[in-house]
Amino acid sequence: MPFSGVSDGTYLIGRKAPIRIVDQTVSAHHAELVVLGNRLYLADLGSTNGTFLLQHGRQKPFKEGYVTPEQIFIFGQYVCRIQDLIRKASTIIH
């Protein structure tokens, strides 16, 4: 498994979620990250301020799709790489 310490499963992302992001622009349950073997799937859960892919210096609205650890996303106004979310997921007992 390429994502050391992360079990296959669905991980919620948000202010009141197991992958916690402390930022008022992030919804309580903003998005979910699905880990399945060597694949990662990210889906916005109808968040208030949206999820965006940062690509070539531009923000592109993102609803759902397969992602890679190196990609940079914006949740509300919180910016992070998918690998940062994977690191947080590795601390969750699933």
Side-chain angles (χ1 to χ4, degrees):
M1 180 189 323
F3 309 116
S4 180
V6 180
S7 299
D8 285 358
T10 301
Y11 298 85
L12 288 175
I13 302 162
R15 282 192 340 271
K16 296 182 179 179
I19 297 180
R20 188 164 181 232
I21 298 176
V22 181
D23 185 302
Q24 289 302 309
T25 66
V26 175
S27 296
H29 296 117
H30 196 102
E32 66 182 14
L33 179 66
V34 178
V35 178
L36 187 57
N38 64 351
R39 306 284 311 258
L40 299 168
Y41 191 86
L42 181 70
D44 183 276
L45 298 176
S47 63
T48 301
N49 293 316
T51 299
F52 301 87
L53 170 62
L54 187 60
Q55 193 172 41
H56 307 295
R58 302 189 118 179
Q59 294 182 24
K60 297 183 179 186
F62 188 89
K63 293 294 181 194
E64 63 181 298
Y66 288 98
V67 297
T68 64
E70 301 79 24
Q71 287 180 301
I72 300 172
F73 279 84
I74 304 168
F75 301 92
Q77 293 181 358
Y78 181 86
V79 180
C80 70
R81 289 186 189 276
I82 292 296
Q83 65 193 15
D84 298 329
L85 301 177
I86 294 168
R87 193 173 302 115
K88 287 183 180 191
S90 70
T91 67
I92 299 168
I93 298 172
H94 204 257

